[in-house]
DNA sequence: CAGAATCCTGTGAGATACTG
DNA sequence: CAGTATCTCACAGGATTCTG
């Protein structure tokens, strides 16, 4: 059971109030973090989503193939991320019901539309990583 | 001081070994998480980077303007993310040295090139959030 | 105003073991 | 093979206070 936030001195006039309590008791952000684009961005801004979508771009893959293709992902995170991608209608899961189990995953129609912007990001990453690393080491030279 | 990982029974033959100890004592991934595109992707895959870059797209902004424009960001995370963006050469910081302090941030040339793919992602998000939410609630209907 | 320093918490995510 | 179920820790990130 989560403890009470334990604010030391609940004084008014906090300088940066990002949340307010609504009449129904829920907490909500003051401005608009509920903005649709923010919702979708948060969906993409985890460590594995973009990599899974990028890997499925070329066609359906089985669980083990995904695991082997995506360097460093744990089975747990692969399962979790696939589940939430399925929930959001970006990936479709097909269980053949055989024994031993055989399951494959493919992008849905919407998932496919995501592949394009994701590819753009990946292309940018591949092109500019050199400059980024250069800037990084130059910066670290001055402030070690 | 970080404790020893405390592996209960260090038995060999773990099923999914993602890391190996190199001759110099460092840990490294077996395959290729060090791939350049992965490096850059990890750079972008945090909660705030994309939002900051997107906000600076239209021109330089001061610290407080960024804080107010990006819904829900804390001053701590704004500072942190700006620092690392600066380190990577994507954002330039200009301190006017006045009193009270006046600092503004703008995209560098490389940062500007990132704005395009980021805008593509944002456009995708704005367009497809409806379908995502539909899929989500449809899915939750079946498995509540 | 723009932050630095500090404290605290929830979550991300790995390791391991078990199952149909 | 394709998962669950636990346990655990590290760290992202929020709240608060202080300062030049």
């Amino acid at each position: 059971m989560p403890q009470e936030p334990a604010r030391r001195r609940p004084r008014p006039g906090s300088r940066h109030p990002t949340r307010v309590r609504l009449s129904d008791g829920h907490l909500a952000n003051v401005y608009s973090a509920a903005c649709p684009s923010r919702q979708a961005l948060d969906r993409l801004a985890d460590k594995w989503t973009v990599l899974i979508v990028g890997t499925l771009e070329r066609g359906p893959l089985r669980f083990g193939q995904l695991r082997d293709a995506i360097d460093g992902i744990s089975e747990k995170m692969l399962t979790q991320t696939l589940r939430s991608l399925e929930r959001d209608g970006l990936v479709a899961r097909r269980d053949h019901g055989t024994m031993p189990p055989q399951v494959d995953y493919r992008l849905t129609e919407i998932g496919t539309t995501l592949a394009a912007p994701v590819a753009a990001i990946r292309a940018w990453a591949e092109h500019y990583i050199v400059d980024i690393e250069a800037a990084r080491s130059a910066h670290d030279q001055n402030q070690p």
Side-chain angles (χ1 to χ4, degrees), chain A residues 5 8 14 17 27 31 43 51 88 92 138:
Chain A
R8 262 76 67 84
S14 156
L27 286 175
Y31 307 103
R43 179 66 196 76
L51 291 169
D88 288 351

Side-chain angles (χ1 to χ4, degrees), chain A residues 42-63:
Chain A
D42 285 351
R43 179 66 196 76
L44 304 179
D46 71 282
K47 199 175 176 182
W48 304 113
T49 294
V50 167
L51 291 169
I52 292 181
V53 170
T55 306
L56 287 177
E57 193 173 356
R58 296 179 185 175
L61 288 176
R62 298 185 52 185
F63 185 86

Side-chain angles (χ1 to χ4, degrees), chain A residues 31-96:
Chain A
Y31 307 103
S32 62
C35 154
S37 69
R38 274 291 291 277
Q39 298 282 320
L41 275 179
D42 285 351
R43 179 66 196 76
L44 304 179
D46 71 282
K47 199 175 176 182
W48 304 113
T49 294
V50 167
L51 291 169
I52 292 181
V53 170
T55 306
L56 287 177
E57 193 173 356
R58 296 179 185 175
L61 288 176
R62 298 185 52 185
F63 185 86
Q65 294 178 306
L66 276 169
R67 183 194 56 207
D68 295 343
I70 299 173
D71 178 24
I73 195 170
S74 67
E75 299 185 342
K76 176 186 159 186
M77 289 318 296
L78 181 54
T79 302
Q80 265 184 32
T81 312
L82 282 172
R83 290 286 182 275
S84 83
L85 283 171
E86 197 190 352
R87 174 171 180 253
D88 288 351
L90 299 177
V91 159
R93 177 192 139 106
R94 215 171 33 171
D95 189 334
H96 295 243

